[in-house]
């Protein structure tokens, strides 16, 4: 089953299913055993590229609707 990617309004990008995450040099982030992660969109996370919830307090606003 392919990974499901969901853009959360005013929040992160949620990825569920089977996935791997790499930096631009091809180094793999350790997501072993995880079936769901959230990637930061607000650029304020202290755990980048993963969301740490800071988007809730930093005023990040972005609503994305599929067309
Ligand atoms: S989107 Fe959650 S900390 Fe950036």
């Amino acid at each position: 089953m392919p990974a499901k990617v969901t853009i959360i309004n005013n929040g992160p990008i949620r990825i569920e299913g089977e996935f791997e995450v790499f930096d631009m040099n091809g180094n793999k982030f350790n997501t072993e055993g995880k079936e769901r992660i959230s990637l930061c969109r607000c650029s304020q996370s202290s755990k980048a590229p993963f969301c740490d919830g800071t988007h809730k307090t930093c005023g990040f606003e972005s609503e994305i609707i599929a067309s």
Side-chain angles (χ1 to χ4, degrees):
M1 184 170 159
K4 178 182 179 185
V5 179
T6 305
I7 313 303
I8 307 297
N9 283 341
N10 307 318
I13 297 170
R14 180 180 299 145
I15 304 175
E16 302 167 275
E18 292 185 28
F19 55 81
E20 295 178 316
V21 181
F22 297 86
D23 68 14
M24 65 179 295
N25 295 318
N27 300 309
K28 186 176 168 182
F29 288 94
N30 182 6
T31 57
E32 190 173 319
K34 296 186 178 182
E35 296 180 354
R36 176 177 165 169
I37 62 168
S38 295
L39 296 177
C40 178
R41 284 202 303 140
C42 74
S43 75
Q44 299 300 309
S45 175
S46 63
K47 296 181 179 177
F50 304 102
C51 172
D52 69 355
T54 301
H55 63 271
K56 297 175 186 172
T57 57
C58 73
F60 178 65
E61 294 183 8
S62 174
E63 294 192 3
I64 306 294
I65 305 297
S67 57

